[in-house]
Amino acid sequence: MKKIVYFCFILLIVSKSFAQKDSFTLDQSVNYAWENSISLKDISLQNEVSKIEIEKSKSNFLPTLAFSSSYNFQSGSIIDPATNNRNTLNIQSGNFALTTSVDLFNWQTIIRLKLSKLEKEKLKYQSEIIKQNLYIQIVQAFYQLQFNKEQEKLIEYQIQNTLIHLDRIQEEVKYGNKSESDLLEMKANLSNFNKQKVDASSNSKLAYLTLQNILNKKDSTDYIFDNEQLFDKTEDLDQLYQKGLENRPDIVQSKIDEQIAQKNIEQQKSGYLPNLGANYSFSSFYTNSNKNPFSNQINDNKSHYVGISLNFPIFNKLQTQKSIEQSKIELERSQLKTHQLEQEYYNLMSDLYLKTNNSLEQWEASEKNLKNYQLSFEKIEDKFKFGLITIYEYLNSKNNLLQIETNNLIAKYSFYLNSNMLYFYNK
């Protein structure tokens, strides 16, 4: 008995755990996608790499330091390093050197550091572009799912309403108050609604799967509609455009490309400038032909070298000049790209602004039309109950009501989709 009770208790817990669902609004869906996006995680890793690149560029200002040593064996007629006289000998010797050098002036090193910082800044806006693309996909999929779910509910309501009338007509056919053709017509209408329900259910499942795949989510989730309206009719198109222009990641990224192109020109021009460097070395050696101890030889044979080098380019086959010309063309291309993106953004905002206003007006008009038709249909339904109109007139009005309700849903979610897109593109 105890085992049965324990088994039932475990079964109850498991069934509850399976029944529980996450509930996500649109904002929560977007945040979840951003937090779990593989592409954004990859950008984060690239950002870490860019930090290292900056540190590498900074380290170019530091001096280099190296230690070298060598072992040598000589045999035959050679100059004895201990006496500087030529003798026939077998000599073993060793050399040691510690060298360091530093660039005192190298303009390319300075520019490379600036370029590394610009590349890191550009990567930041690449992350924003990925977020933007994810947001667009999620908004479209989210509202498509909400539309399909509501359409499915509308059809289910029509089915339940039809079943009520079907039962009533069947009774009336028994008593001869309705014809068999009325009953068959109602059954055909019910079959049509059932077919529409199957299609609507299939569309809902497909829309749900699409959203789940975009979010890379495998557990069951209930997506909740949040009817917050983000559209402010008091702002005109120019205000929205100017407000969003400064924050558009693709436009800002293009402007960074302009700065990079400008720095590339400076880097190429630095090929005309001299490079100034300094170096120092300490060296010593020992040999077995010298009978002094190793430490004494190292101290006696030590030498110091200090030097300054100046490298002044004179002619390098016009490579620097041609590289500068190429970089200037790249700068012009970057500027053209920025202008093109600004124009595309204005066109996009114009389109969204018009669509949002139009869809809002269509939704408001559709709401009024739906309320009026619902009142009219109530009268038609009463007339049908009392046999004042034919079943064909009733079913025609019923189908018209479903179409008006569907059009109202289309207008509603078109507005929410466009207003969310407009809000996102100018924030």
Side-chain angles (χ1 to χ4, degrees):
M1 182 65 182
K2 288 183 177 180
K3 289 183 178 179
I4 294 173
V5 173
Y6 177 76
F7 176 78
C8 292
F9 177 74
I10 295 297
L11 187 62
L12 179 63
I13 292 175
V14 171
S15 63
K16 284 186 176 180
S17 65
F18 277 107
Q20 290 177 346
K21 282 186 177 182
D22 290 336
S23 295
F24 275 18
T25 62
L26 176 59
D27 286 342
Q28 289 172 325
S29 300
V30 170
N31 290 331
Y32 179 89
W34 288 350
E35 290 171 4
N36 296 277
S37 168
I38 295 175
S39 297
L40 287 174
K41 290 179 179 178
D42 181 61
I43 289 292
S44 179
L45 292 176
Q46 291 183 47
N47 189 55
E48 293 301 316
V49 172
S50 68
K51 289 180 181 178
I52 296 173
E53 285 295 329
I54 292 175
E55 294 303 317
K56 285 174 62 178
S57 297
K58 289 180 179 179
S59 66
N60 287 329
F61 293 98
L62 300 175
T64 62
L65 181 64
F67 173 78
S68 61
S69 65
S70 64
Y71 167 79
N72 309 291
F73 175 78
Q74 292 177 286
S75 179
S77 178
I78 57 177
I79 296 175
D80 187 346
T83 62
N84 278 332
N85 295 323
R86 180 171 291 277
N87 294 307
T88 302
L89 300 170
N90 293 323
I91 295 179
Q92 300 179 57
S93 62
N95 299 289
F96 305 93
L98 184 68
T99 60
T100 182
S101 63
V102 63
D103 287 333
L104 299 177
F105 176 79
N106 189 330
W107 189 247
Q108 289 197 4
T109 303
I110 299 172
I111 294 176
R112 277 196 292 268
L113 175 58
K114 293 180 179 179
L115 283 171
S116 298
K117 291 180 177 179
L118 286 172
E119 289 291 347
K120 182 177 181 297
E121 186 72 10
K122 181 180 175 181
L123 204 59
K124 168 188 170 184
Y125 288 99
Q126 182 62 35
S127 173
E128 293 300 316
I129 290 173
I130 293 175
K131 285 184 176 182
Q132 170 185 294
N133 294 334
L134 268 176
Y135 182 89
I136 294 169
Q137 294 178 55
I138 292 167
V139 168
Q140 291 173 338
F142 187 89
Y143 284 128
Q144 184 63 53
L145 174 61
Q146 300 305 321
F147 169 79
N148 291 340
K149 284 163 62 177
E150 286 207 40
Q151 189 177 40
E152 193 175 356
K153 289 178 183 178
L154 287 178
I155 296 171
E156 179 60 33
Y157 173 78
Q158 294 293 343
I159 289 174
Q160 297 303 319
N161 180 269
T162 302
L163 287 171
I164 294 172
H165 285 291
L166 185 62
D167 291 339
R168 182 177 59 81
I169 291 175
Q170 284 175 334
E171 290 296 320
E172 292 189 19
V173 169
K174 285 182 182 179
Y175 297 105
N177 296 330
K178 291 284 185 183
S179 66
E180 188 72 24
S181 63
D182 286 352
L183 180 61
L184 293 174
E185 196 66 39
M186 187 62 75
K187 286 182 177 179
N189 188 254
L190 178 62
S191 297
N192 181 51
F193 279 136
N194 283 327
K195 168 65 169 57
Q196 291 184 43
K197 181 184 177 182
V198 171
D199 293 340
S201 177
S202 176
N203 290 335
S204 294
K205 290 176 183 176
L206 180 60
Y208 178 82
L209 180 62
T210 300
L211 185 54
Q212 286 280 94
N213 289 341
I214 293 173
L215 299 183
N216 196 23
K217 209 170 187 300
K218 297 178 176 62
D219 54 326
S220 184
T221 307
D222 185 20
Y223 296 100
I224 302 171
F225 175 63
D226 183 1
N227 61 355
E228 180 185 3
Q229 294 190 20
L230 304 173
F231 179 54
D232 185 0
K233 294 181 70 173
T234 61
E235 289 187 296
D236 60 26
L237 176 60
D238 288 335
Q239 287 178 312
L240 294 173
Y241 172 73
Q242 293 299 330
K243 187 166 67 173
L245 186 62
E246 297 177 358
N247 302 316
R248 295 305 309 143
D250 49 349
I251 295 176
V252 175
Q253 190 182 64
S254 182
K255 290 180 178 178
I256 293 175
D257 281 334
E258 288 184 37
Q259 297 178 51
I260 291 174
Q262 186 63 55
K263 292 300 176 187
N264 283 332
I265 293 174
E266 294 177 14
Q267 186 177 36
Q268 299 302 331
K269 285 183 176 180
S270 68
Y272 291 129
L273 300 177
N275 295 327
L276 182 63
N279 51 77
Y280 165 79
S281 68
F282 167 82
S283 61
S284 186
F285 69 93
Y286 81 95
T287 175
N288 64 348
S289 65
N290 191 327
K291 303 306 179 183
N292 290 331
F294 175 82
S295 58
N296 289 350
Q297 287 191 54
I298 294 297
N299 186 60
D300 293 339
N301 298 329
K302 65 183 179 182
S303 64
H304 300 272
Y305 170 82
V306 177
I308 294 179
S309 61
L310 179 65
N311 180 17
F312 203 110
I314 297 175
F315 182 74
N316 68 342
K317 304 177 184 179
L318 302 177
Q319 296 301 303
T320 300
Q321 179 183 337
K322 297 305 177 183
S323 295
I324 292 172
E325 291 174 3
Q326 286 179 327
S327 297
K328 286 181 177 180
I329 293 173
E330 290 300 322
L331 174 59
E332 290 180 16
R333 292 185 64 199
S334 298
Q335 291 169 340
L336 284 175
K337 181 183 175 183
T338 301
H339 293 319
Q340 181 182 3
L341 288 172
E342 289 174 345
Q343 183 60 49
E344 289 175 355
Y345 177 59
Y346 183 81
N347 295 341
L348 175 66
M349 291 297 292
S350 301
D351 184 61
L352 281 175
Y353 187 78
L354 179 62
K355 284 182 177 179
T356 303
N357 277 285
N358 288 346
S359 58
L360 178 59
E361 292 174 0
Q362 290 170 357
W363 183 28
E364 291 172 345
S366 179
E367 283 283 320
K368 292 178 183 178
N369 185 39
L370 177 59
K371 288 177 182 177
N372 291 332
Y373 199 88
Q374 285 173 336
L375 293 174
S376 174
F377 184 74
E378 289 176 7
K379 302 295 182 183
I380 292 173
E381 200 161 32
D382 290 339
K383 289 179 180 180
F384 178 65
K385 288 178 183 178
F386 293 106
L388 300 177
I389 60 173
T390 66
I391 190 170
Y392 302 104
E393 292 174 304
Y394 169 73
L395 292 179
N396 184 57
S397 297
K398 188 180 180 70
N399 291 333
N400 287 341
L401 175 61
L402 180 59
Q403 186 60 54
I404 290 172
E405 288 173 329
T406 301
N407 291 340
N408 184 60
L409 286 181
I410 293 173
K412 173 184 177 181
Y413 286 109
S414 293
F415 166 70
Y416 275 103
L417 173 62
N418 291 323
S419 64
N420 268 277
M421 298 284 281
L422 184 64
Y423 170 77
F424 179 77
Y425 273 114
N426 83 92
K427 72 175 182 178

